[in-house]
Amino acid sequence: MSVPITFLRSLLFNLIFYVGGIPLVIGAALSVPFGQEAVIAASRLWSQYHQLCVRWLLGIRTVVEGAFPKGAVIIAIKHEAMLETIEILRLIDRPAVVFKAELLNIPVWGATAQRHGVIPVARETGSAALRRMLKAAREAVTANRPIVIFPEGTRVAPGEQPPLRAGIAGLYKTLGLPIVPVAVNSGHLWPRHSFMKRSGIVTMRIGEPIPPGLGREEVEARLHTAINALNQ
């Protein structure tokens, strides 16, 4: 596809998704007093709106290979674009997402995310921050919700395979849950720090569950290989 058309489609996406999505974001904020399930439903609706914009304005289609698990499990996803952070709200049933704690300070939006049941992770490594993260994670397990984490901690370019952050090993050991790895190749169409988004297919490949009880080195090695399966 030509550069002018790609630019136009990207411009239309930004205008229609961000401006057109304002009522949905406000609706999610207004649903806070009605409880967590109302906020989760409103967030899923926003994600569905995002998927329509991505599909029909950008020409990007998401294909999931396998099935996302339900219930108390850790889902660890490769992170290359904003796309997967929003897609998971509609693809995964009632996800509790590991989330940068400082984002909870954003007025209105932060309170909505907190009511959704995110798991805050702070940049500092103090014991208070760790206890807060684990408390929220245990609450998600009690509610039989899947915990979603991007174990690399930030978006990476296609082909990059940075080491995993320590948080995934801590959750795995403390919660005693299996990890389901998910490989993603969204960065080829949705490059980080780029306005231009190309049309095509984004694949999410769900790998074999990694059972609980393994040593840290083994689980990290298996997880690292699995989430990078589309970047070999």
Side-chain angles (χ1 to χ4, degrees), residues 65 77-81 84 152 154-162 182-189 201-205 223-232:
E65 297 181 354
I77 305 176
K78 179 78 178 178
H79 192 13
E80 292 188 354
E84 55 266 15
E152 294 160 318
T154 188
R155 288 176 297 172
V156 299
E160 289 186 0
Q161 301 184 18
V182 181
V184 176
N185 62 356
S186 55
H188 293 284
L189 303 179
I201 295 175
V202 168
T203 300
M204 292 186 175
R205 181 177 296 169
L223 177 58
H224 191 267
T225 298
I227 67 171
N228 288 293
L230 294 174
N231 284 323
Q232 299 302 321

Side-chain angles (χ1 to χ4, degrees), residues 6-21:
T6 299
F7 175 82
L8 179 60
R9 296 181 78 162
S10 300
L11 178 62
L12 286 173
F13 170 79
N14 280 352
L15 289 174
I16 294 175
F17 172 64
Y18 288 107
V19 177

Side-chain angles (χ1 to χ4, degrees), residues 51-217:
Q51 190 267 337
L52 288 174
C53 292
V54 167
R55 177 68 182 91
W56 298 109
L57 296 176
L58 295 177
I60 295 175
R61 185 163 59 92
T62 300
V63 173
V64 178
E65 297 181 354
F68 282 105
K70 296 183 178 181
V73 66
I74 299 171
I75 301 176
I77 305 176
K78 179 78 178 178
H79 192 13
E80 292 188 354
M82 184 187 76
L83 181 139
E84 55 266 15
T85 65
I86 303 178
E87 283 284 270
I88 60 173
L89 297 176
R90 71 176 184 87
L91 293 173
I92 299 175
D93 182 49
R94 301 167 63 245
V97 183
V98 177
F99 192 87
K100 292 179 181 179
E102 58 265 28
L103 296 179
L104 295 178
N105 297 324
I106 299 174
V108 182
W109 192 86
T112 305
Q114 193 161 9
R115 192 70 176 105
H116 188 283
V118 299
I119 299 172
V121 56
R123 291 185 183 276
E124 67 273 12
T125 57
S127 58
L130 179 61
R131 285 196 301 270
R132 185 184 180 194
M133 181 185 75
L134 293 178
K135 178 178 181 293
R138 290 190 180 100
E139 289 174 353
V141 172
T142 300
N144 200 33
R145 298 176 64 181
I147 294 172
V148 176
I149 184 170
F150 298 97
E152 294 160 318
T154 188
R155 288 176 297 172
V156 299
E160 289 186 0
Q161 301 184 18
L164 307 180
R165 297 290 180 91
I168 182 65
L171 284 175
Y172 173 79
K173 180 179 179 180
T174 301
L175 300 178
L177 295 174
I179 299 178
V180 175
V182 181
V184 176
N185 62 356
S186 55
H188 293 284
L189 303 179
W190 194 306
R192 60 177 181 169
H193 312 311
S194 174
F195 176 79
M196 304 285 273
K197 302 167 184 65
R198 297 185 293 274
S199 61
I201 295 175
V202 168
T203 300
M204 292 186 175
R205 181 177 296 169
I206 301 170
E208 291 294 324
I210 300 171
L214 302 178
R216 177 170 179 173
E217 287 189 5

Side-chain angles (χ1 to χ4, degrees), residues 19-66:
V19 177
I22 290 175
L24 295 175
V25 174
I26 293 174
L30 293 176
S31 69
V32 169
F34 298 97
Q36 187 174 75
E37 293 302 323
V39 176
I40 291 173
S43 301
R44 185 180 299 114
L45 182 62
W46 176 65
S47 177
Q48 290 168 341
Y49 173 70
H50 172 264
Q51 190 267 337
L52 288 174
C53 292
V54 167
R55 177 68 182 91
W56 298 109
L57 296 176
L58 295 177
I60 295 175
R61 185 163 59 92
T62 300
V63 173
V64 178
E65 297 181 354

